[in-house]
Amino acid sequence: MKKWIAFSLAAAIGVLSFTGCSGQTGTASGAGSSQAGQEVTLTFPCIWVGSDSKAKVFGEMVAGFNTEYAGKYQIKLEEQTDYDAYRDKIRTLISTGAAPDLFTVQDFPDLELYASSGKLMNLTDLLAESDMASRFEDGIVERAQIDGANYAMPYESAVVPIMYNQKLLEEAGVTSIPTTYDEFWDACAKLKAKNIFPTTQMTSANAWTSMLWYSYALAACGGADVYKNGFDDPAFEKAAEIMVKLFQNTSSDAVGADATVVNGHFFNERAAIYTNGSWILGRIKKEGVQGLYDNLVLAPGLSYGGKNGGAYISTIQAYLVAGKQDDPQKAEAAKAFLRYVSDPERVVELANSSGALFAIKMDASKIADPLQAEIVKQSAAASFMIGHFQGSVPTAVANEFPAALESLVIGDITPAEFVQHLKEVKDSNS
């Protein structure tokens, strides 16, 4: 398996030093046990430090935990400021037998890989506790399960609205936000007539924003279970047909475009309709033309054939993970910390300070940024939540998507051939 090859390569590079709770270098989590009455110390290699938007308040949360549990539990942060180096370090530590006490994972495929090593704490019972279970957005804990078990706590989330520039819509004579694809295509025609790009699309890099559009098309055509049904579901081909039409309603430089091009068109009001995660709002405020942020109207997904409207795309940006512990006191310390940092009031403060959104339910009235609050409100009222394509398919398929999409939209392959190709990639990497 390619994933296990990655582990072997990491191990071959060499063991990165890691100072565990016992002060030993390279010691696997769980080694040794704490004396009764002795303060338990857990180490947490942490990326939310330095200039990261969550650094200040998350650091205060850790300090607050240490104060509340002084003499019993203590969390020591190890500052990591480079995301790629952090991911490599975690992979190497786990591949060589030393899972950190606490750490974060960004991608679900990595989480699956680490869970298969047997070095992660099973958090299923913790997340099923009545107080804990009620904290999370509906269905998000279940979506984070691996073979029915939770080996991580979903924490930071990405919620993806469809964003409309109301000023440009009104200039084109569009008087209401579309709720169906028929209404959407009508709006696109009016925008094109005014020489406004209806949407922004891309095929370069990971084809990120176009991948999100495909995800919304899948939700509309196939509903909440579309990924479970697999590539034989007709929704995948119907969604590909929608992508072809979307590329007929975008800028002429969309094929080969990257995020810089896509963002540039929307930020500078050359394009009217855009989709991206909630984190982009801060950049729109800073980089968008004057008034753009105030002209934005957010909306959930469109319906197709009268079905599946009102969906919201959501995915986990970061999971909080605990290394498996042989010492019960260390295991309880890790669980106490996860309870502490998932407290909704603390999470609201973290959201307001960073602009990030989280898998924990939050009172929209307590969110300071009006559009961020609107996303929280709309996603809570969504007809269903669904993950995006990249995070819901095997890594090999996600990696192949940009090239396959480009072939689709330039007419080299049909929608049916597009789906068949992705299916073959999946099967060949199973």
Side-chain angles (χ1 to χ4, degrees), residues 176-377:
S176 60
I177 300 300
T179 59
T180 71
Y181 271 102
D182 287 341
E183 293 173 356
F184 184 83
W185 302 133
D186 181 66
C188 287
K190 291 177 178 178
L191 288 161
K192 287 175 72 174
K194 290 291 185 178
N195 295 316
I196 300 168
F197 301 140
T199 73
T200 55
Q201 303 296 332
M202 60 185 287
T203 63
S204 186
N206 58 1
W208 175 256
T209 56
S210 292
M211 181 278 297
L212 295 175
W213 280 109
Y214 186 61
S215 305
Y216 262 121
L218 284 173
C221 297
D225 293 330
V226 65
Y227 296 120
K228 293 180 182 178
N229 297 338
F231 286 113
D232 290 330
D233 191 319
F236 286 88
E237 184 175 341
K238 292 177 183 176
E241 293 169 357
I242 289 174
M243 293 307 299
V244 172
K245 200 163 183 177
L246 282 169
F247 272 79
Q248 295 167 355
N249 288 277
T250 190
S251 58
S252 59
D253 57 358
V255 174
D258 60 12
T260 302
V261 174
V262 166
N263 293 341
H265 287 316
F266 190 72
F267 289 9
N268 290 284
E269 293 193 327
R270 295 188 292 267
I273 312 171
Y274 172 82
T275 187
N276 210 336
S278 49
W279 62 82
I280 204 70
L281 293 175
R283 287 191 59 190
I284 290 174
K285 278 184 177 180
K286 293 178 182 178
E287 301 173 29
V289 297
Q290 185 174 2
L292 174 59
Y293 181 87
D294 296 329
N295 288 327
L296 293 186
V297 176
L298 310 182
L302 305 161
S303 67
Y304 180 88
K307 297 180 180 179
N308 302 321
Y312 244 94
I313 301 296
S314 176
T315 190
I316 301 301
Q317 285 284 92
Y319 299 86
L320 278 171
V321 189
K324 188 175 182 179
Q325 299 285 356
D326 295 329
D327 182 351
Q329 292 185 66
K330 292 181 180 179
E332 285 306 313
K335 291 178 182 179
F337 180 73
L338 295 177
R339 292 187 188 99
Y340 188 90
V341 297
S342 62
D343 176 80
E345 292 299 318
R346 296 187 179 100
V347 172
V348 165
E349 184 179 358
L350 187 58
N352 280 330
S353 68
S354 64
L357 291 177
F358 295 86
I360 288 84
K361 293 177 182 177
M362 293 182 287
D363 184 346
S365 67
K366 296 181 179 180
I367 303 296
D369 183 279
L371 289 186
Q372 188 183 13
E374 182 64 19
I375 293 174
V376 172
K377 182 180 177 181

Side-chain angles (χ1 to χ4, degrees), residues 132-197:
M132 289 290 286
S134 64
R135 295 181 178 183
F136 293 90
E137 296 288 350
D138 294 342
I140 209 160
V141 169
E142 290 75 15
R143 280 166 46 198
Q145 290 181 341
I146 300 168
D147 296 329
N150 288 103
Y151 294 96
M153 183 178 79
Y155 198 60
E156 184 181 358
S157 66
V159 185
V160 181
I162 298 178
M163 304 183 187
Y164 295 84
N165 184 322
Q166 189 169 26
K167 184 183 80 171
L168 296 183
L169 293 183
E170 290 175 352
E171 287 179 7
V174 179
T175 58
S176 60
I177 300 300
T179 59
T180 71
Y181 271 102
D182 287 341
E183 293 173 356
F184 184 83
W185 302 133
D186 181 66
C188 287
K190 291 177 178 178
L191 288 161
K192 287 175 72 174
K194 290 291 185 178
N195 295 316
I196 300 168
F197 301 140

Side-chain angles (χ1 to χ4, degrees), residues 39-49 54-79 102-104 155 320 333-334 336-343 346-347 349-350:
E39 185 176 72
V40 173
T41 300
L42 300 182
T43 51
F44 183 175
C46 185
I47 201 72
W48 298 328
V49 295
K54 293 176 288 296
K56 180 178 183 296
V57 171
F58 192 76
E60 291 170 353
M61 290 167 70
V62 173
F65 176 85
N66 289 341
T67 298
E68 183 169 324
Y69 288 92
K72 186 176 182 181
Y73 304 142
Q74 188 81 192
I75 305 297
K76 288 190 175 180
L77 294 184
E78 290 184 344
E79 295 196 2
L102 295 160
F103 59 104
T104 58
Y155 198 60
L320 278 171
F337 180 73
L338 295 177
R339 292 187 188 99
Y340 188 90
V341 297
S342 62
D343 176 80
R346 296 187 179 100
V347 172
E349 184 179 358
L350 187 58

